[in-house]
Amino acid sequence: MSERKLIPVEIRQFITGHKIWTVLILVVVAGGLIAWHYLGKPKDGGGYLTQKVAYGDISETVNASGTIEPVQQVTLTFKNQGYVQNSYVQVGDRVDKGKLLAEERDSDFQAQLAQAEGNLQNARADYDKLVATQPEKIAQAKAQLAQAQSSLNLAKATLDRDQSLFEAGAITRADLDSAQNSYQSALSQEQSSASNLSLVSNSGDIAAAAAQVETAQAQVALAQNNLTSARIIAPFDGYVAQINGNVGQWTQGGAPPVGTAVSSQYGIILSSTALQLSAEINEADISKVKTGQRVTFTVDTYPGKTFNGKITSLAPMATSVNNVQMYEAIISIDDYSQLKAGLPASVNIVTAFAMHVPVVPQTALDFARTYLAAPRQQNARTNGQPGGSGQSFRPNGQAGGSGQNTRWSGQPGGSAFQNKSLVLVLENGKAVPRPVETGLSDDVNVEIKSGLQPGETIITGQAGTGGTGRTGMPAGGAPGPAAGARGNNNQNGAGPRPGGGVMFLTRPGR
């Protein structure tokens, strides 16, 4: 039977009537096959995701949660109990320092002040009188003393004369006794005058009067303070956050009640316009945090916007939050004009940073670790199994002997050294491991202190696997066909994936 007869009549009619469409379909299919052959399969020396080593800035941070709060917040009350007469603000009002917020009825306080001022006037009058009459009193006392001394001298002379006359028998005993009595009287008068002069000259009375004046002045100051305290004045610029009580009520005086105590006290809670950030630092991170460190934070109110600040103080003692020790950090905010108190914030504290240093993606180190671990694990699966050659790849891409692996420092089984790791450098199309010394890491990029130069090409992942080096893995955990693998030397390996899980890698063919 001829070939023409093997083709059904309907198909021959379709092809004959649709020659142009048939040709187009064949061209599209052929183009797809060519594109898959050249673009979908790894090229020799390729099959990798690569990146150039470049300079960049990097920082390490400590994460915390915090709350925006006012720098100052006070509860303002009246000093003394009284009747609330006026209130001049409402919740939410912005006030300037010195603004009158509320006042009590002050008639009683004015009366107390008037009484205190009257007492002060009396005390000052008494003092002034003492001071004014003091010189005159002293002069009078001195004159009295001089007269008493003169009388005493005369009495003494008379007594001495009469004593001589009595001894001569010229006068009687009675005359002598009279002279002695006159002398004793003059002596007493002189002593009294001297005492009076001393008393008048003493400034004790004036000092006592001065003390009375000071006491009266203190009473006036107290009354003035009570009158002034009948008004609530804003001590700083801020917002009225809360008002407790109403106009027309009788209020208690003094400090606000503590805790949840019920009180009839009138009060206004004033929050400063200046804001700060209070953050809770976990005990595991507190050793890295210092005052003066820069801080960035975000709030849900402004998605995508970052705010900046600086740590100004750290609490010396921890508080327990859900059985975790937390330390409070107070952070000054560079620009708080768009923020409001009470907003929760996600905080990043910059504990270390470096500028213009060689950096590589963290994925480059992760890929190198799993890439070099794959031959050993593949060898463990294939040794002793039918069809398994036990052959593994050396890190330079050459097939090794049966069951042999090459170990590198810093990898499992090798000698560990601090801050050392490995990256894969692309040299002549081959993945060549390179030991590097790492520095800071922000979980995205890693600082390279030595081992790489800017401009070198490093491998960050496997082409065709989303950059992670993962191939298909059917249910049950068995490795599936290697995506994009070609050649007979391809091996599927499983290595530990950072953060958990298993990563299956595909080795590009030679």
Side-chain angles (χ1 to χ4, degrees):
M1 184 179 296
S2 65
E3 181 179 353
R4 179 178 179 84
K5 293 181 179 180
L6 294 176
I7 302 175
V9 176
E10 293 81 358
I11 295 178
R12 288 202 308 270
Q13 291 177 351
F14 178 83
I15 294 175
T16 303
H18 301 81
K19 290 182 178 181
I20 296 177
W21 287 106
T22 302
V23 172
L24 290 176
I25 292 173
L26 292 175
V27 170
V28 171
V29 172
L33 292 173
I34 293 173
W36 175 84
H37 179 77
Y38 287 101
L39 301 178
K41 298 171 67 177
K43 298 179 177 62
D44 291 339
Y48 299 113
L49 299 177
T50 62
Q51 183 171 322
K52 297 284 187 181
V53 180
Y55 287 108
D57 301 338
I58 193 168
S59 61
E60 286 187 348
T61 60
V62 167
N63 298 328
S65 59
T67 304
I68 306 298
E69 62 181 26
V71 174
Q72 290 179 284
Q73 186 174 67
V74 295
T75 300
L76 306 173
T77 62
F78 295 109
K79 176 185 174 182
N80 301 296
Q81 66 179 11
Y83 178 82
V84 181
Q85 182 166 296
N86 293 304
S87 177
Y88 302 102
V89 291
Q90 296 179 346
V91 173
D93 287 353
R94 177 172 179 174
V95 298
D96 297 328
K97 179 179 179 180
K99 177 179 175 60
L100 176 62
L101 307 182
E103 59 184 355
E104 287 179 307
R105 181 185 295 162
D106 61 2
S107 55
D108 290 345
F109 303 121
Q110 289 179 350
Q112 292 173 2
L113 177 59
Q115 183 180 8
E117 289 176 340
N119 293 335
L120 176 59
Q121 290 178 356
N122 291 334
R124 281 177 173 170
D126 293 341
Y127 173 79
D128 292 342
K129 182 178 180 180
L130 284 173
V131 172
T133 60
Q134 182 75 357
E136 181 181 354
K137 289 181 178 180
I138 293 174
Q140 290 177 355
K142 287 181 178 180
Q144 291 174 357
L145 178 60
Q147 184 178 0
Q149 288 174 340
S150 177
S151 297
L152 178 62
N153 292 334
L154 179 61
K156 180 70 169 61
T158 301
L159 177 61
D160 291 342
R161 184 194 63 187
D162 288 352
Q163 182 70 33
S164 299
L165 292 175
F166 176 76
E167 292 176 354
I171 60 174
T172 65
R173 183 69 186 182
D175 293 333
L176 179 61
D177 291 343
S178 176
Q180 288 178 339
N181 291 335
S182 297
Y183 173 76
Q184 292 296 329
S185 177
L187 179 62
S188 297
Q189 185 65 35
E190 191 273 340
Q191 291 175 344
S192 177
S193 298
S195 177
N196 182 56
L197 177 60
S198 176
L199 181 63
V200 170
S201 300
N202 191 349
S203 60
D205 290 344
I206 295 178
Q212 292 295 326
V213 171
E214 291 179 355
T215 301
Q217 288 175 334
Q219 294 297 324
V220 170
L222 179 61
Q224 288 176 335
N225 184 268
N226 288 336
L227 179 60
T228 301
S229 298
R231 300 185 300 166
I232 295 179
I233 306 295
F236 50 78
D237 296 344
Y239 292 93
V240 177
Q242 185 176 339
I243 298 177
N244 299 320
N246 299 283
V247 171
Q249 76 173 63
W250 286 91
T251 178
Q252 298 176 356
V258 179
T260 58
V262 178
S263 172
S264 61
Q265 187 177 46
Y266 182 89
I268 297 176
I269 299 178
L270 186 66
S271 298
S272 63
T273 54
L275 300 177
Q276 64 186 13
L277 175 60
S278 173
E280 297 293 331
I281 311 299
N282 192 291
E283 59 182 323
D285 298 321
I286 191 62
S287 62
K288 307 173 188 177
V289 179
K290 303 288 186 297
T291 57
Q293 291 175 335
R294 297 297 301 176
V295 173
T296 62
F297 65 94
T298 59
V299 294
D300 292 340
T301 304
Y302 301 101
K305 182 176 179 59
T306 300
F307 298 87
N308 300 286
K310 181 176 69 174
I311 296 179
T312 57
S313 67
L314 281 173
M317 183 175 293
T319 57
S320 182
V321 180
N322 296 327
N323 295 325
V324 177
Q325 299 303 106
M326 307 295 285
Y327 292 82
E328 183 185 27
I330 299 301
I331 300 164
S332 63
I333 303 173
D334 293 349
D335 181 9
Y336 49 78
S337 58
Q338 295 179 289
L339 300 173
K340 291 184 178 297
L343 290 176
S346 298
V347 183
N348 291 314
I349 302 171
V350 181
T351 58
F353 64 91
M355 301 179 65
H356 196 65
V357 294
V359 294
V360 299
Q362 178 66 46
T363 54
L365 279 70
D366 297 340
F367 179 73
R369 181 165 50 250
T370 54
Y371 181 91
L372 296 174
R376 289 192 299 277
Q377 299 186 16
Q378 178 66 21
N379 181 49
R381 290 197 303 271
T382 56
N383 276 339
Q385 296 180 3
S389 64
Q391 203 174 49
S392 64
F393 288 102
R394 296 182 182 274
N396 63 2
Q398 303 296 327
S402 61
Q404 293 184 354
N405 287 302
T406 301
R407 287 180 176 175
W408 296 86
S409 296
Q411 299 300 317
S415 60
F417 46 96
Q418 189 177 12
N419 293 334
K420 291 289 185 178
S421 189
L422 290 172
V423 296
L424 298 177
V425 181
L426 187 64
E427 296 181 358
N428 299 322
K430 298 178 182 179
V432 179
R434 178 84 62 81
V436 294
E437 181 183 2
T438 59
L440 302 181
S441 172
D442 60 5
D443 296 330
V444 177
N445 295 312
V446 179
E447 176 191 5
I448 300 298
K449 290 184 171 291
S450 64
L452 287 175
Q453 296 297 325
E456 291 190 278
T457 301
I458 58 172
I459 299 174
T460 61
Q462 188 81 51
T465 60
T468 63
R470 182 185 296 273
T471 65
M473 186 172 68
R486 62 187 180 92
N488 296 327
N489 292 332
N490 289 340
Q491 303 286 339
N492 291 335
R497 178 174 178 81
V502 177
M503 176 181 287
F504 288 92
L505 304 175
T506 300
R507 176 69 177 163
R510 295 283 300 164

